[in-house]
Amino acid sequence: MREKSMEMGLSNLLSFFLFSLIFQTPASAVKQSYIVYMGAHSHGLKDAMASVSKVKESHNEFLASFLGSTEKAKESIFYSYTRDINGFAATLDEEEAAAIARHPNVVSVFLNKGKHLHTTHSWEFMLLEQNGVAQHHSLWIKASYGEDIIIGNLDTGVWPESESFKDKGFGAIPAKWKGFCENDTSTGVPCNRKLIGARHFNKAYISGGGELNASTNSPRDNDGHGSHTLSTAGGNFVPGASVFGLFNGTAKGGSPKARVAAYKVCWPPSPEGGECYEGDILAAFDAAIHDGVDVLSVSLGGPAFDYFGDATAIGSFHAVMNGVVVVCSAGNGGPGDYTVNNVAPWILTVGASTIDRKFVTLVKLPNRKRFEVSFLYPLFGTSISKPLPGGRKFYPLISSAHAKAKNASAKEAMLCKEGTLDPKKVKGKILVCLRGDIARVEKGMIAALAGAVGMILCNDESDGNEIIADPHYLPASHINYTDGLVVYAYINSTKDPKAYITASIAEMNTEPAPFMASFSSKGPNFLTPEILKPDITAPGVSIIAAYTEANSPSGNDFDKRRTGFTTESGTSMSCPHVSGVVGLLKKLHPDWSPGAIKSAIMTTARTRDNTVNPMGDSTSMKATPFSYGAGHIRPNRAADPGLVYDLNANDYLDFLCGIGYNQTTIKLFSKAAYSCPGNFSLLDFNYPSITVPNLSGSVTVSRTVKNVGSPGVYAAHIREPRGVLVSVEPDVLKFDRTGEEKSFKLTLTNKKLGGAGEYVFGQLLWSDGRHYVRSPIVVASKAAVEKKSAQLGFAGGIRSEI
């Protein structure tokens, strides 16, 4: 009774809220269009066609009782919802709408508002636009949408026919561009004024045992990953983009007026298991630097134990030395510690977090009175998939462990791996699978091939509350760990379990957001613990962007679906979000170095979510800088950071000296005369974050900040890490001109730090009252860093994250 009364109370409250919204404007007889929602029909979808005329008639009669005649009602109604949703859309004045809202059979009456573009909602979440329109203070406006900036992408190539890469409205290609498109085969990629470069590199892949045929040996993207990442960074405006007709909106990249170039370095897995080979990666870096890119977006990686034994670190070092900003994904090896990839200090390393949009797909179970399980009803999941046939029809429900094949283990069957399911047990049922080991969409394909009508994908404990909207082949819903326990408990409590899955709908302004994705790789930095990695976090969960039409979104040959846009998740998706913002900053501040741009992004980031609480992780625990670095990116703030921690070529060479490279080695890759400083400490490397991994007594670190704003006075504010005393000298910095530099020293003293490897966190903030320049402080009494050889996989998840 309590649950039912709560539902009634919430329903009444919602109706009152909606009713109040309608009448906040002055009363008038002006006609507007409204939705009159009356719940659900008593008939099922199977009988809907026979009931259409009766439903329309009932709507006309209902409205006629308010308008005075059936003729007026017919004239007013322009939609009757006759299938599963019961209601109508009609033109009414406020008084008529108010009267209808008071009727006991009406759930709600609300204005027929125009919904704005959801396809790339992450840009709105990052405040570059509002209701689909860029505001005057937006970095988009200030930076002319990244016009003529050149963004290169090392990935799986590009699908040139995508609307994201059309060149309507673009002028001549920038004169500095030296690249080209390889278009000498039937599967080649033609250039235009938007997509100005496309090249492929596969010699290293072939040497590793990879095989290619004529249809794949080109820059053309047969995988989809490259088109998705490139369009996220710099895709053009595409009105009417959708995923299989769902969630229609306008797609766009972070720098939508930038020019883009694809460097294909990733291929189908070779017999040795490799996809993106070091030799090909380095060749692509080399080509891109020559071609004249401004930004390189690199959503790939792997564990490295030496900076110059890693092609990405090497290639990015040379790129940065040439003024190119390199943005890389942090990896999909989370939630474990020491899993972060691409840790070179000259790389901008990006973790993945959520946005405030969910694609809600409900799982409904029979009335709880039928079994002794306490749960919240319904269960809120996510997916982008078609609804189950039959509307509210309940289907038999089975756990994949109960549906295991004769020779399969229950553990493997729980994960819905290929060959582990008995089709006789699965056919015609909703199958419950556990997340893990293989790709989420692959589980749905395996379920469908076994005869399932739908799938419920349940998180394990480590994945917690993180649920991801995938374009599943069959009706599906991905639910969190707690709700998964409910489903399994229900199945085990009855002999005849049943469920149904609703259609997907988009829900906006969800809370909390952002929170860290469980898959996002974490620090500490196992290679150089004095450098905090990742540097930043950005949207990387359920991101909609362009896709190849050479492949299905599941990647399975059985799946014949094709779509120009799809959702993907991973740090691969968060990386190009930052690359797009970097393009804007390069346009706005062409004189800024890669180090200054990195600093501007890091020191203006936020560490709180949209509930104004500290950002959490997927288990609702408080996240730390080892997950998000300096925080979640705020593009508009980064445009005017006030102060930056700049880094130039010599700073990076000092760093290399500090980690043990000798003068002879450094001369091999240093173009200018350079000598290693005699007493350089890594703690003094001018990084925008401050990490002291081995604090026994006291240590003093130095930093230098450059004023990139107007003259001003900045005061220091410190949030001390637990057990550490922190002081700064001087604690006030006065700047008389733009470009002026000031140095300061930060002293940290160990008072009550814990044991080895126990990190604590604080913050240094410089502010003039308008700018807030934040640096995370990360401290441990003794680093417990191990050069782990865990199977971290590719940083960007070239294959779907599991």
Side-chain angles (χ1 to χ4, degrees):
M1 288 299 293
R2 181 184 177 188
E3 181 177 291
K4 185 174 181 180
S5 64
M6 285 179 64
E7 290 177 353
M8 291 177 63
L10 288 171
S11 176
N12 292 336
L13 182 61
L14 178 61
S15 296
F16 175 78
F17 176 70
L18 292 170
F19 179 84
S20 299
L21 284 179
I22 293 171
F23 302 108
Q24 285 178 351
T25 54
S28 72
V30 175
K31 296 280 186 178
Q32 298 184 80
S33 56
Y34 291 84
I35 308 298
V36 178
Y37 174 52
M38 306 172 75
H41 293 289
S42 58
H43 64 73
L45 286 179
K46 185 177 180 180
D47 303 319
M49 292 306 296
S51 304
V52 167
S53 60
K54 291 184 178 179
V55 172
K56 287 184 176 180
E57 184 178 347
S58 69
H59 289 164
N60 289 332
E61 291 176 353
F62 177 83
L63 186 56
S65 66
F66 294 90
L67 302 187
S69 72
T70 304
E71 289 73 24
K72 286 183 179 180
K74 288 180 178 180
E75 189 178 80
S76 175
I77 294 176
F78 54 92
Y79 272 128
S80 268
Y81 306 115
T82 60
R83 302 302 194 267
D84 188 62
I85 299 171
N86 185 12
F88 56 87
T91 302
L92 308 166
D93 64 34
E94 290 181 357
E95 186 176 350
E96 292 163 346
I100 294 169
R102 291 191 289 267
H103 194 281
N105 292 340
V106 171
V107 177
S108 61
V109 178
F110 51 94
L111 282 169
N112 179 36
K113 299 180 294 294
K115 289 188 177 294
H116 293 283
L117 314 172
H118 292 171
T119 306
T120 44
H121 174 67
S122 46
W123 304 117
E124 182 162 2
F125 182 61
M126 293 157 67
L127 302 181
L128 285 175
E129 62 181 350
Q130 184 176 359
N131 295 325
V133 178
Q135 305 300 294
H136 67 89
H137 61 274
S138 167
L139 179 54
W140 264 350
I141 300 297
K142 292 178 179 178
S144 303
Y145 296 93
E147 184 176 10
D148 288 344
I149 290 295
I150 302 172
I151 299 176
N153 191 42
L154 272 63
D155 214 295
T156 65
V158 62
W159 188 254
E161 289 78 16
S162 170
E163 292 295 324
S164 292
F165 308 122
K166 298 301 183 185
D167 64 354
K168 184 178 180 180
F170 281 77
I173 294 171
K176 71 172 184 174
W177 177 245
K178 299 177 183 178
F180 58 93
C181 286
E182 295 172 342
N183 192 32
D184 55 352
T185 67
S186 60
T187 58
V189 173
C191 285
N192 60 30
R193 290 169 298 180
K194 173 69 175 179
L195 177 61
I196 61 176
R199 302 173 65 176
H200 73 294
F201 304 85
N202 56 25
K203 292 179 181 179
Y205 169 75
I206 292 171
S207 73
E211 296 182 0
L212 299 169
N213 55 45
S215 66
T216 58
N217 191 15
S218 83
R220 185 169 286 272
D221 182 15
N222 295 300
D223 179 277
H225 191 275
S227 298
H228 199 281
T229 54
L230 184 56
S231 66
T232 300
N236 202 356
F237 293 95
V238 183
S242 70
V243 183
F244 300 116
L246 297 173
F247 314 116
N248 191 43
T250 296
K252 82 283 287 186
S255 288
K257 291 189 177 180
R259 316 302 175 114
V260 296
Y263 298 86
K264 185 174 180 179
V265 297
C266 297
W267 307 87
S270 70
E272 296 181 1
E275 295 172 329
C276 318
Y277 278 76
E278 301 262 26
D280 297 329
I281 292 168
L282 201 54
F285 267 109
D286 196 36
I289 295 167
H290 170 269
D291 290 346
V293 300
D294 297 300
V295 185
L296 274 173
S297 190
V298 186
S299 290
L300 56 89
F305 305 114
D306 183 78
Y307 291 116
F308 290 112
D310 172 62
T312 304
I314 295 170
S316 58
F317 177 83
H318 286 271
V320 169
M321 292 301 104
N322 284 276
V324 179
V325 182
V326 181
V327 186
C328 292
S329 46
N332 294 338
D337 294 337
Y338 296 100
T339 53
V340 64
N341 293 176
N342 296 316
V343 296
W346 44 85
I347 291 173
L348 181 46
T349 309
V350 188
S353 42
T354 63
I355 58 176
D356 63 343
R357 175 186 63 189
K358 291 180 181 178
F359 299 110
V360 177
T361 310
L362 303 180
V363 172
K364 296 195 175 183
L365 306 175
N367 193 300
R368 63 179 288 180
K369 293 180 181 178
R370 295 178 57 183
F371 58 98
E372 295 301 323
V373 179
S374 176
F375 70 97
L376 296 175
Y377 180 86
L379 307 179
F380 285 79
T382 189
S383 176
I384 295 181
S385 60
K386 59 187 178 182
L388 282 166
R392 291 191 169 195
K393 175 183 175 182
F394 280 89
Y395 284 84
L397 183 67
I398 188 170
S399 163
S400 54
H402 297 160
K404 77 179 190 69
K406 185 176 180 180
N407 297 322
S409 70
K411 181 179 179 181
E412 297 289 283
M414 281 277 285
L415 295 166
C416 292
K417 293 186 175 181
E418 187 174 3
T420 64
L421 303 173
D422 184 345
K424 293 180 180 179
K425 298 176 182 177
V426 174
K427 187 176 180 180
K429 298 177 182 177
I430 296 174
L431 184 68
V432 181
C433 298
L434 185 66
R435 181 181 178 182
D437 278 19
I438 62 172
R440 300 178 301 270
V441 291
E442 186 178 349
K443 294 176 189 287
M445 289 300 304
I446 292 169
L449 289 170
V453 296
M455 177 184 71
I456 300 173
L457 179 62
C458 302
N459 276 354
D460 63 13
E461 188 171 9
S462 66
D463 292 313
N465 296 321
E466 175 202 85
I467 54 178
I468 296 174
D470 294 305
H472 287 286
Y473 180 78
L474 77 176
S477 182
H478 181 182
I479 62 176
N480 66 25
Y481 172 65
T482 303
D483 289 345
L485 293 178
V486 169
V487 171
Y488 283 116
Y490 163 61
I491 290 173
N492 293 329
S493 72
T494 178
K495 294 181 179 179
D496 185 28
K498 294 180 183 293
Y500 77 87
I501 300 169
T502 68
S504 303
I505 60 170
E507 183 178 323
M508 312 302 292
N509 304 314
T510 58
E511 296 177 346
F515 64 82
M516 295 304 302
S518 67
F519 59 75
S520 188
S521 290
K522 294 171 60 179
N525 179 345
F526 59 87
L527 193 52
T528 310
E530 293 85 357
I531 303 297
L532 175 65
K533 289 288 180 172
D535 295 305
I536 202 77
T537 187
V541 177
S542 303
I543 302 302
I544 299 179
Y547 199 66
T548 180
E549 294 190 40
N551 198 5
S552 68
S554 69
N556 192 295
D557 292 339
F558 177 77
D559 188 354
K560 304 302 180 185
R561 298 176 301 164
R562 296 294 184 269
T563 179
F565 293 84
T566 193
T567 59
E568 289 202 3
S569 298
T571 55
S572 278
M573 285 63 249
S574 54
C575 168
H577 275 90
V578 176
S579 303
V581 173
V582 168
L584 300 174
L585 293 175
K586 287 278 283 188
K587 177 68 176 181
L588 184 63
H589 301 291
D591 57 327
W592 282 10
S593 70
I597 289 175
K598 176 194 280 191
S599 176
I601 288 174
M602 290 177 64
T603 60
T604 57
R606 66 178 181 183
T607 59
R608 294 186 178 273
D609 60 28
N610 57 359
T611 68
V612 201
N613 288 309
M615 202 184 324
D617 62 17
S618 62
T619 63
S620 299
M621 299 294 289
K622 184 179 178 180
T624 75
F626 286 143
S627 291
Y628 55 68
H632 193 276
I633 188 170
R634 291 197 289 184
N636 296 329
R637 296 291 183 93
D640 181 22
L643 307 177
V644 296
Y645 295 82
D646 206 356
L647 290 164
N648 58 34
N650 280 358
D651 291 316
Y652 292 119
L653 296 177
D654 289 348
F655 169 83
L656 293 172
C657 291
I659 62 174
Y661 286 92
N662 60 38
Q663 183 74 42
T664 303
T665 303
I666 289 177
K667 280 184 177 179
L668 297 176
F669 50 77
S670 174
K671 296 178 181 178
Y674 170 81
S675 296
C676 282
N679 57 350
F680 179 76
S681 168
L682 290 180
L683 298 179
D684 294 333
F685 182 59
N686 204 42
Y687 214 66
S689 56
I690 299 166
T691 304
V692 181
N694 193 356
L695 182 63
S696 55
S698 292
V699 67
T700 298
V701 304
S702 64
R703 290 290 189 273
T704 300
V705 286
K706 178 190 289 186
N707 180 31
V708 293
S710 55
V713 178
Y714 286 78
H717 305 269
I718 296 171
R719 188 176 73 237
E720 294 181 324
R722 176 176 47 82
V724 180
L725 294 180
V726 182
S727 62
V728 61
E729 178 63 35
D731 59 2
V732 174
L733 301 175
K734 184 177 183 295
F735 295 91
D736 297 318
R737 56 182 174 82
T738 301
E740 186 178 3
E741 295 185 340
K742 297 279 187 179
S743 296
F744 65 89
K745 294 184 181 296
L746 196 75
T747 300
L748 302 95
T749 303
N750 184 341
K751 286 298 183 183
K752 295 181 180 179
L753 272 178
E758 182 181 342
Y759 282 88
V760 290
F761 308 95
Q763 176 183 271
L764 168 64
L765 169 68
W766 290 100
S767 179
D768 63 350
R770 188 167 70 90
H771 301 95
Y772 300 89
V773 188
R774 296 180 177 87
S775 293
I777 300 174
V778 179
V779 185
S781 61
K782 183 179 180 182
V785 177
E786 299 175 9
K787 293 187 175 182
K788 297 179 181 291
S789 58
Q791 297 299 313
L792 304 180
F794 288 97
I798 293 298
R799 298 289 158 242
S800 296
E801 189 275 319
I802 55 176

